[in-house]
């Protein structure tokens, strides 16, 4: 079960763009907030928020498909 | 809030950018809660798995890196420790030898100074005494006074003088 979940998330993040994957992993793996991610990546905070939102929406969609 | 959260609202809820009303609904509504769990549970499993894997993989590497960086320091520490011990031993042996040499040189210098001074009972005094004694003896053994000695040379020897009255 856990392995399936891990594989599903791995697969979902693999389909993200590089920026979306970077901000997604920094947010959910490293527990960094938008400002910290902006400092780490050199993006603006608003750009980080946009990439994060798109990444979460994409991953949710992939996970929803996986669960169906 | 009567309606459930939309897909975008759910995404915003996950990112912590919901309004207070949306936040409360996401916590209280079982259906929306279930939707959120479909994202949160796999991501949490993924996170813990990745962190475990990362710890397993990176820990030996970090230890290896530390040992590689610490090894020269240990060698340097050992080197300086033995260098300090060597210096101490060298000083402990060198100082007595140096002092001994200094004493020896001082003694030689003193000996040299005393040998250059004229001795109190020097042989010169003995010689002077001997010369004086000889002079006294010579003076006492003279038959005539010293100033008359040149005159005595002019007088013919008694044995060579013919007796008065001639030979017979």
């Amino acid at each position: 079960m856990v392995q399936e979940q891990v594989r599903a998330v791995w697969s979902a993040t693999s389909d993200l763009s590089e920026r979306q994957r970077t901000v997604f992993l920094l947010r959910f793996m490293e527990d960094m907030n938008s400002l910290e991610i902006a400092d780490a990546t050199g993006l603006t905070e608003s750009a980080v928020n946009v990439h994060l939102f798109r990444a979460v929406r994409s991953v949710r969609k992939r996970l929803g498909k996986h669960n169906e | 809030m009567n309606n459930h959260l939309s897909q975008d609202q759910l995404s915003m809820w996950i990112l912590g950018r919901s309004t207070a009303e949306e936040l409360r609904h996401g916590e209280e509504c079982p259906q929306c809660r279930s939707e959120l769990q479909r994202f949160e549970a796999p991501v949490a499993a993924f996170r813990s798995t990745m962190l475990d894997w990362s710890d397993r993989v990176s820990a030996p590497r970090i230890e290896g890196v530390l040992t590689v960086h610490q090894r020269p320091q240990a060698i340097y520490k050992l080197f300086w420790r033995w260098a300090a011990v060597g210096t101490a031993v060298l000083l402990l042996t060198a100082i007595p030898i140096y002092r001994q040499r200094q004493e020896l040189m001082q003694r030689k210098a003193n000996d040299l100074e005393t040998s250059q001074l004229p001795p109190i009972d020097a042989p010169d005094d003995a010689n002077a005494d001997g010369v004086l004694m000889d002079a006294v003896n010579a003076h006492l053994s003279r038959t005539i006074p010293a100033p008359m000695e040149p005159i005595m040379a002019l007088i013919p020897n008694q044995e060579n003088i013919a007796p008065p009255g001639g030979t017979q």
Side-chain angles (χ1 to χ4, degrees):
Chain A
M1 179 69 180
V2 173
Q3 277 188 353
E4 266 186 39
Q5 287 179 330
V6 171
R7 198 171 291 131
V9 174
W10 180 263
S11 173
T13 53
S14 301
D15 289 343
L16 298 174
S17 71
E18 193 176 335
R19 281 188 178 178
Q20 285 178 4
R21 187 166 51 246
T22 301
V23 296
F24 182 87
L25 292 175
L26 289 175
R27 171 71 178 80
F28 292 101
M29 295 294 295
E30 301 293 334
D31 278 335
M32 292 169 76
N33 61 34
S34 299
L35 194 61
E36 290 169 332
I37 295 169
D39 285 342
T41 57
L43 297 170
T44 62
E45 194 178 357
S46 59
V48 169
N49 286 332
V50 169
H51 285 302
L52 261 178
F53 177 80
R54 288 177 183 166
V56 169
R57 191 175 59 184
S58 177
V59 170
R60 281 190 63 245
K61 202 177 283 182
R62 286 292 304 266
L63 290 176
K65 282 182 186 173
H66 184 266
N67 290 333
E68 283 173 0
Chain B
M1 191 179 227
N2 296 326
N3 297 328
H4 293 298
L5 296 174
S6 67
Q7 293 299 314
D8 285 353
Q9 284 174 326
L10 286 168
S11 297
M12 293 297 270
W13 195 98
I14 289 165
L15 292 172
R17 287 187 281 170
S18 304
T19 62
E21 196 178 353
E22 289 168 352
L23 192 67
R24 191 168 54 251
H25 181 85
E27 287 169 354
E28 291 172 356
C29 175
Q31 194 176 335
C32 291
R33 187 72 242 161
S34 166
E35 278 288 325
L36 293 167
Q37 277 292 318
R38 285 171 69 182
F39 175 84
E40 288 176 339
V43 169
F46 180 77
R47 184 174 191 269
S48 64
T49 304
M50 284 297 156
L51 290 177
D52 288 346
W53 173 81
S54 174
D55 287 345
R56 278 201 308 273
V57 171
S58 63
R61 284 185 189 164
I62 290 169
E63 281 174 11
V65 168
L66 285 176
T67 50
V68 165
H69 284 288
Q70 283 172 350
R71 209 172 291 150
Q73 286 182 350
I75 290 169
Y76 287 136
K77 277 183 185 173
L78 200 65
F79 169 76
W80 286 114
R81 197 173 295 163
W82 280 108
V85 169
T87 308
V89 169
L90 203 66
L91 284 172
L92 287 172
T93 50
I95 287 171
I97 291 171
Y98 176 75
R99 280 185 180 169
Q100 206 172 355
R101 282 193 70 175
Q102 286 288 98
E103 283 176 11
L104 199 65
M105 286 178 72
Q106 188 69 34
R107 224 176 276 168
K108 277 184 181 175
N110 288 343
D111 289 349
L112 197 64
E113 280 177 11
T114 50
S115 66
Q116 283 176 348
L117 288 173
I120 296 166
D121 295 323
D124 288 350
D125 282 356
N127 289 340
D129 289 344
V131 169
L132 182 62
M133 284 304 291
D134 287 345
V136 169
N137 285 335
H139 184 74
L140 291 176
S141 63
R142 278 187 183 124
T143 52
I144 52 170
M148 290 185 69
E149 277 183 357
I151 298 168
M152 286 301 291
L154 297 173
I155 297 170
N157 198 348
Q158 287 289 332
E159 292 173 1
N160 294 335
I161 297 172
T167 53
Q168 291 182 359

